[in-house]
Amino acid sequence: MDPVNHTWTQSFILAGFTISGTLRPLVFLGTLCIYLLTLAGNLFIIVLVRADSGLSTPMYFFISVLSFLELWYVSTTVPTLLRTLLRGCSPISSAACFIQLYVFHSLGMTECYLLGVMALDRYLAICHPLHYHALMSRQVQLWLALASWVAGFSAALVPASLTATLPFCLKVVLHYFCDLAPLMQLACVDTSWHAQIYIVVIGMINICDLVLILGLYGGILKAVLKLPSAASRAKAFSTCSSHITVVALFFGSAFIVYVGPPGIQAEGIDKIIALVYSLLTPFLNPIIYTLRNNEVKEASRRVTQKISFALKRL
């Protein structure tokens, strides 16, 4: 790694993954297929929620907002991943690098808040069913969704701005996108203070949000266990299982990378784990929310019938 002068116009080099020449095309095509399927799956949910009146409930509104977020989230890092898989080490300007860093963490923080809002929605639906529609009106839904985005993009300003102002003496980023830890390794100064700030900001937001989600699901569990029949308990749990799966995938992998031991970055394991929350989770979200969901299946059938009827009339 060659030392370079610290200027705003400097460029970095994304190292990506070390893959042999014969496997590189296969990995590239596999990643591209997953990316395209992720875009298609999340677009499908957005269009379906908008097109079918049967899904005009707060739960599906927030699922569609999550799908919209995932479209941008996966598109922030996967194009650079594909480029490094296709060409090997790829240059990226400092401006593009810091913008990617900020947008990626903004969307990640937004998803944290949004998953908390979705847990609150399920809590109100199950624990306060009589007042649910009054408490979760359309205006409240919009405000909660907007607040998640504003809070996410505001919180990410701290780590992104601190990283962008560091003096960099090296330029090879040992990752497939610009992230906090790989960039700090290139700095000319001691970044231990910055690392502590990042852990406090990112770690505390994640921990507080996860505690809130667990607390809400604790209340849901108590309410569900009081239901008289096994069928009603199973139905209540089924509406929460998809969300719990997404929370476990997202928070579990994020905690390991950003709050885990330093050896993770040193061994390069962080790149592999980062694929879980930056590519795998957005890919699985549409599957998780539709595979066992009879309402979505029925809505898909209704929309398909409408489209078929419209095409026959043409």
Side-chain angles (χ1 to χ4, degrees):
M1 292 185 287
D2 299 321
V4 296
N5 293 329
H6 172 58
T7 62
W8 177 252
T9 57
Q10 80 176 69
S11 63
F12 296 103
I13 296 175
L14 297 174
F17 289 95
T18 304
I19 302 174
S20 62
T22 54
L23 287 176
R24 191 180 295 274
L26 293 175
V27 176
F28 172 82
L29 288 174
T31 305
L32 179 61
C33 288
I34 292 175
Y35 176 53
L36 294 176
L37 287 172
T38 301
L39 297 180
N42 284 288
L43 278 172
F44 168 75
I45 288 180
I46 294 169
V47 172
L48 189 65
V49 172
R50 295 278 296 176
D52 189 81
S53 59
L55 300 181
S56 58
T57 63
M59 182 178 78
Y60 291 107
F61 168 75
F62 290 124
I63 289 175
S64 67
V65 173
L66 178 64
S67 292
F68 178 73
L69 185 149
E70 297 289 27
L71 290 176
W72 294 100
Y73 191 57
V74 74
S75 297
T76 304
T77 59
V78 174
T80 54
L81 170 60
L82 291 171
R83 191 173 64 182
T84 57
L85 290 174
L86 190 63
R87 301 179 181 176
C89 294
S90 298
I92 182 172
S93 68
S94 59
C97 184
F98 294 132
I99 289 171
Q100 183 185 53
L101 173 71
Y102 172 65
V103 173
F104 176 75
H105 280 277
S106 296
L107 293 171
M109 299 277 197
T110 302
E111 183 159 350
C112 289
Y113 291 120
L114 190 57
L115 290 173
V117 168
M118 294 170 75
L120 175 63
D121 171 67
R122 290 298 81 210
Y123 174 81
L124 294 176
I126 293 173
C127 299
H128 302 280
L130 298 179
H131 305 286
Y132 173 59
H133 291 289
L135 293 170
M136 197 59 73
S137 64
R138 187 65 176 179
Q139 186 177 11
V140 171
Q141 295 170 43
L142 293 171
W143 274 110
L144 287 172
L146 179 62
S148 298
W149 284 82
V150 172
F153 275 75
S154 300
L157 281 171
V158 175
S161 59
L162 284 176
T163 305
T165 55
L166 285 171
F168 295 100
C169 294
L170 302 170
K171 63 179 182 179
V172 179
V173 182
L174 299 177
H175 213 299
Y176 62 89
F177 68 94
C178 292
D179 204 0
L180 293 172
L183 283 174
M184 285 195 298
Q185 293 173 0
L186 311 182
C188 307
V189 296
D190 180 26
T191 58
S192 57
W193 176 78
H194 296 76
Q196 292 174 1
I197 296 295
Y198 300 157
I199 290 174
V200 169
V201 174
I202 298 175
M204 288 305 296
I205 288 175
N206 277 272
I207 289 171
C208 291
D209 201 59
L210 186 58
V211 168
L212 171 66
I213 292 172
L214 293 175
L216 290 171
Y217 273 108
I220 290 172
L221 180 63
K222 287 175 63 177
V224 169
L225 292 177
K226 293 178 181 178
L227 294 175
S229 65
S232 58
R233 288 195 294 271
K235 184 178 179 180
F237 277 128
S238 68
T239 63
C240 302
S241 59
S242 299
H243 183 252
I244 293 172
T245 305
V246 172
V247 167
L249 279 172
F250 182 81
F251 280 97
S253 55
F255 267 116
I256 292 173
V257 171
Y258 294 107
V259 193
I264 290 175
Q265 284 85 16
E267 296 172 9
I269 303 173
D270 59 327
K271 289 189 289 186
I272 299 173
I273 299 174
L275 287 173
V276 175
Y277 59 82
S278 65
L279 179 61
L280 186 62
T281 301
F283 170 68
L284 291 176
N285 277 359
I287 300 172
I288 291 170
Y289 281 115
T290 60
L291 193 62
R292 295 173 57 193
N293 194 315
N294 291 325
E295 289 180 337
V296 172
K297 292 177 183 177
E298 288 296 325
S300 302
R301 192 176 296 112
R302 288 193 296 268
V303 171
T304 303
Q305 289 173 351
K306 288 179 183 178
I307 294 173
S308 300
F309 181 74
L311 290 174
K312 288 178 182 178
R313 293 186 64 183
L314 292 176

